[in-house]
Amino acid sequence: MAASLNWLFYMILGASTFFYSVIYDLWSTLADNVDDDDRFPDKKSKIKYLNTYRYVTGAFLGMALLVITFFPTYFFLISLLILFQIGLVLLLVFKKKMFIVEMPVSSVDQSPDTLVAKVKKQLFGKEERFYTRVFILVLVSGLFFYLGTVFSISVSVLIGAVPFILFAFGILLILGNTVTFLSALFRINLHVIALITAFIAGLVYEPHYTQLPDKKVSTHDFKNRQTLSEYFKNWVELRKTALDDSSSKEYPVYFVLADGGASRSGYWSASVMSSLDSQTNGKLASHLFCLSGASGGSVGNAAYFNLLRAKQTDSTVKHSDGVKIVQDYLETDFLTFTIARMLGPDVFRYVLPLWFIDDRAEALASVMETGSGDESRLYNTMSTGFSEIITQKNKPYHLPILCVNTTRMQDGIPAVISNINVTDNRFNKRVDLLGLLGEQRDIKMSQAVVLGASFPYLSPAGRINDTTKTKESNYFVDGGYFDNSGSGIVSEMINILQQDTLYKKYAGKLKFYVLHATNSPQGDAFLNPVNPLINDLAAPVKTLIGAYGTQTIVNDRRLWNQLKIMYPGKDHYIKLNLYDPNIKISYPMDWVISNKALADIKRRLYTSTEIVKLATDMNRY
Amino acid sequence: MSTNPQKKELINFKDLFTLHFLRALFTSLWLFFPAILFLALSWAAFWQLSQGKDLLQRTLENGRIFVLFIIAEVFWTYITWYTCYLISKIKLTALPKHTTDKDIIHWRRMLTQMPRFLAFSCLTIIVIAF
């Protein structure tokens, strides 16, 4: 279906060239009337004829614009754009004709041959003067929107992504065509010179450092974080009464996994968790041991984690408010401000050292902090430094373990940003990212989740220098490159806990459950034959791309098997999938989601039989 | 179609299959590649990516974003035409006014039509994407 629609689009695109020819021919014939028709004997009558068409067209388009401002419907929009096409060709054809009528003989050029004179002649010649003035006006208004979006989060949220992208295309096109214009004027390819300059500048200037703040709470040391065993001991201690209560047979321990998938996954996983809390009066939160996720899933986990923090400090925040709080926050447009930096300063950064303007990764972190507006309950909670939420040895801790999974770009080793110490060898050489920072620097929650959600191209790999020993340069990218669900570290945690003496004491009562919030269509992909040429040339690349998703499937399955062995015949790995296999629907994976898609996700939240069953089970404990 | 294509600088259907036309077409693709690049990017963003389609849906849902979208579309279209027109004008002034060389004739037509057609395509791409 999608493929046939694509072909239809291409056919319409091809047909548009003929549509253009027909319109052009029609307007040219009408414009040429001034040459052939006896009704226009002199210049004045010719100009009047041409101007009548131009003014009527201008007025007509202006009126159409007014109509669509008041009736912004799909039908009117398409009609308006087609009218624009017809009107545009008319105005351009009649403009040319007007110039020929007004200036039939070109005067001899006597201007000096300097650069300024050459450019001035091209821009302010008799034919171009008016259009150059319009261009300046249009440019100033476009720059107003463009720069406003680049420099202000609130403006970016107001403008929206599509208008900004079009403004940015216009501004960048001016730059690109200016280089072409000068290349044509001087007969030198300045594009190549610009590319070489960008490459050389990249050798001396690093634009993508993660801008780490200094620690606010100097007494919280990263090296003093609790180990998993210490955290488990603290966790058990806080629930000792319930665990020692012989009237209940089982005490569930929840590990939450949240798959990557930008705002879609964040919205889904945070909604699921807060909905479970709402339906069970906070049972999930009180039985929760760990939140692990990658990419957008980490954003959802962090939002839910901040909701738990808010509940701890503010008694007015009820369990029933949770869904609205996280949804209000995650409905924020995180995309426009990020794209504004990508199509703004980050383009020029290749040749200009714009150290005073943050890159698009920092922009994404900033918009996650304050983009939701100060009416949001989670406003600015993401600006909290990780040092403020880490565990400390011998101090009680009331929040779950938070694991933001990321991947080191240079060697593909998985890394974790966590409130507990993950340097134990049994974590299989995962990089403990907080351990690289030393004790002076901190990392904000927003920066941490952005490191773990560095989408290909949209966010660059963030650089963090290891200040502790070797001064190595570490670049971190999306956690999904290695493990898109965060199941790897949870599997390792369960392995470690199974060897723990305290766990062994309560093993009969403590039952581990994994709640996996997924947001991808279910089922296996169909394997198509591969062209022999592609097989020979691109087999390694194709395999690596395939392994990207499969690695996560294998990790998840390993954890599933692990729980099957621990609890034979029982289902302790519960998948909570956004996609209902009985309904054909597609949810966009983006940092902003339309109201229509949000409504579909909300509908799924309240109709998912898995969530209803899980809430019912939780209420039994 | 046109009765006098030379006067109108119109590219006729039969011209599409000549080597002169193809030569002029490829040269113009190189000359106007910044404008073509952004057209290609908008094709990729709004046609190929599900994210782009959802962004267009969001544009229709919000009155403020919708109005700004119309302004931005007009902006992009005008900039595309005007900047490409200036480039084509430099190239056109370097061409002889009267010639029988078919390469030059096709090149002249291409330089005349391409800025207009590229601006026209800024609207086409968005119309079809919606």
Side-chain angles (χ1 to χ4, degrees), chain A residues 223-235:
Chain A
K223 65 172 185 287
N224 204 31
R225 280 170 294 161
Q226 295 173 5
T227 61
L228 179 62
S229 296
E230 288 162 346
Y231 177 84
F232 181 66
K233 189 181 167 197
N234 166 74
W235 195 87

Side-chain angles (χ1 to χ4, degrees), chain A residues 10-191:
Chain A
Y10 292 128
M11 281 172 69
I12 296 173
L13 186 64
S16 78
T17 56
F18 293 100
F19 180 48
Y20 169 80
S21 300
V22 170
I23 301 170
Y24 179 82
D25 198 22
L26 175 69
W27 295 141
S28 300
T29 308
L30 274 175
D32 287 346
N33 276 345
V34 292
D35 298 332
D36 311 327
D37 202 318
D38 296 339
R39 286 179 298 160
F40 313 112
D42 55 10
K43 191 171 156 181
K44 197 178 165 189
S45 60
K46 288 177 182 179
I47 290 174
K48 191 182 170 192
Y49 170 81
L50 294 171
N51 271 340
T52 306
Y53 271 93
R54 295 170 76 200
Y55 295 151
V56 167
T57 305
F60 194 70
L61 292 180
M63 274 167 55
L65 260 177
L66 270 180
V67 169
I68 200 148
T69 306
F70 291 107
F71 303 101
T73 64
Y74 176 79
F75 173 76
F76 278 130
L77 173 68
I78 299 299
S79 308
L80 177 81
L81 292 176
I82 293 173
L83 276 178
F84 270 2
Q85 288 188 303
I86 297 168
L88 172 78
V89 179
L90 181 141
L91 292 173
L92 294 177
V93 168
F94 276 60
K95 166 224 157 226
K96 186 76 192 170
K97 195 74 196 174
M98 194 79 170
F99 177 71
I100 294 167
V101 169
E102 282 183 334
M103 318 276 171
V105 183
S106 54
S107 52
V108 179
D109 179 24
Q110 292 178 331
S111 57
D113 203 27
T114 62
L115 167 65
V116 177
K118 275 183 179 176
V119 173
K120 200 174 165 189
K121 191 176 81 182
Q122 296 298 335
L123 298 184
F124 293 97
K126 281 169 186 154
E127 191 178 356
E128 293 77 25
R129 197 175 299 151
F130 172 74
Y131 296 94
T132 302
R133 284 174 187 156
V134 174
F135 167 74
I136 292 168
L137 195 70
V138 167
L139 174 63
V140 169
S141 51
L143 268 177
F144 172 76
F145 288 113
Y146 177 76
L147 294 175
T149 314
V150 166
F151 289 107
S152 163
I153 290 175
S154 44
V155 172
S156 75
V157 172
L158 286 175
I159 280 189
V162 177
F164 174 77
I165 289 171
L166 299 183
F167 279 125
F169 281 0
I171 298 289
L172 295 176
L173 180 59
I174 292 172
L175 293 172
N177 273 350
T178 302
V179 176
T180 309
F181 177 82
L182 295 174
S183 300
L185 209 59
F186 297 115
R187 296 167 188 242
I188 306 169
N189 194 332
L190 296 172
H191 287 289

Side-chain angles (χ1 to χ4, degrees), chain A residues 10 22 41 81 164 178 221 234 236 279 291 354 472 474 496 522 550 605 615 621:
Chain A
Y10 292 128
V22 170
L81 292 176
F164 174 77
T178 302
D221 289 341
N234 166 74
V236 165
Q279 293 178 60
L291 293 164
L354 300 172
E472 283 178 330
N474 297 265
I496 296 169
Q522 300 179 44
T550 313
L605 182 67
Y621 302 117

Side-chain angles (χ1 to χ4, degrees), chain A residues 333-344:
Chain A
D333 177 357
F334 296 139
L335 179 73
T336 309
F337 191 57
T338 312
I339 280 210
R341 290 295 166 91
M342 184 182 173
L343 296 177

Side-chain angles (χ1 to χ4, degrees), chain B:
Chain B
M1 298 284 268
S2 171
T3 50
N4 187 358
Q6 194 130 16
K7 187 177 173 187
K8 293 178 181 178
E9 300 288 5
L10 190 66
I11 299 160
N12 272 341
F13 185 71
K14 62 179 182 191
D15 295 335
L16 302 183
F17 306 101
T18 62
L19 279 177
H20 305 293
F21 169 77
L22 286 177
R23 220 177 343 256
L25 177 69
F26 285 118
T27 315
S28 71
L29 291 180
W30 174 240
L31 183 67
F32 297 112
F33 93 85
I36 293 165
L37 174 73
F38 288 114
L39 280 170
L41 284 176
S42 64
W43 163 80
F46 301 126
W47 279 27
Q48 296 297 307
L49 301 175
S50 61
Q51 290 93 331
K53 286 170 187 162
D54 192 60
L55 287 180
L56 292 177
Q57 167 69 31
R58 194 166 178 269
T59 303
L60 282 174
E61 286 171 353
N62 185 312
R64 183 189 58 247
I65 295 178
F66 185 83
V67 171
L68 285 167
F69 157 73
I70 301 284
I71 296 170
E73 176 65 28
V74 172
F75 173 78
W76 181 37
T77 306
Y78 187 81
I79 297 291
T80 301
W81 168 73
Y82 177 78
T83 53
C84 292
Y85 164 75
L86 286 182
I87 292 166
S88 73
K89 206 185 138 220
I90 292 179
K91 293 285 180 185
L92 273 169
T93 46
L95 295 178
K97 283 209 166 53
H98 304 287
T99 178
T100 52
D101 184 336
K102 284 198 170 179
D103 271 339
I104 295 176
I105 291 169
H106 278 88
W107 182 224
R108 179 188 292 283
R109 286 180 188 174
M110 195 62 79
L111 287 171
T112 308
Q113 297 299 345
M114 210 55 170
R116 296 167 180 176
F117 184 69
L118 289 172
F120 184 84
S121 297
C122 292
L123 295 159
T124 309
I125 291 266
I126 297 294
V127 169
I128 306 173
F130 268 106

Side-chain angles (χ1 to χ4, degrees), chain A residues 360-423:
Chain A
R360 56 192 187 273
E362 282 299 317
L364 179 57
S366 300
V367 76
M368 280 183 181
E369 291 165 15
T370 57
S372 58
D374 54 11
E375 286 176 5
S376 164
R377 187 63 188 74
L378 298 183
Y379 175 77
N380 220 14
T381 49
M382 283 282 196
S383 64
T384 308
F386 238 87
S387 68
E388 296 171 58
I389 57 164
I390 53 173
T391 57
Q392 288 288 272
K393 286 183 191 294
N394 304 318
K395 285 185 182 170
Y397 190 81
H398 298 271
L399 290 163
I401 294 173
L402 178 65
C403 292
V404 178
N405 291 280
T406 176
T407 313
R408 190 159 63 190
M409 181 179 75
Q410 294 108 310
D411 52 9
I413 283 193
V416 190
I417 307 167
S418 179
N419 47 358
I420 65 161
N421 188 323
V422 287
T423 50

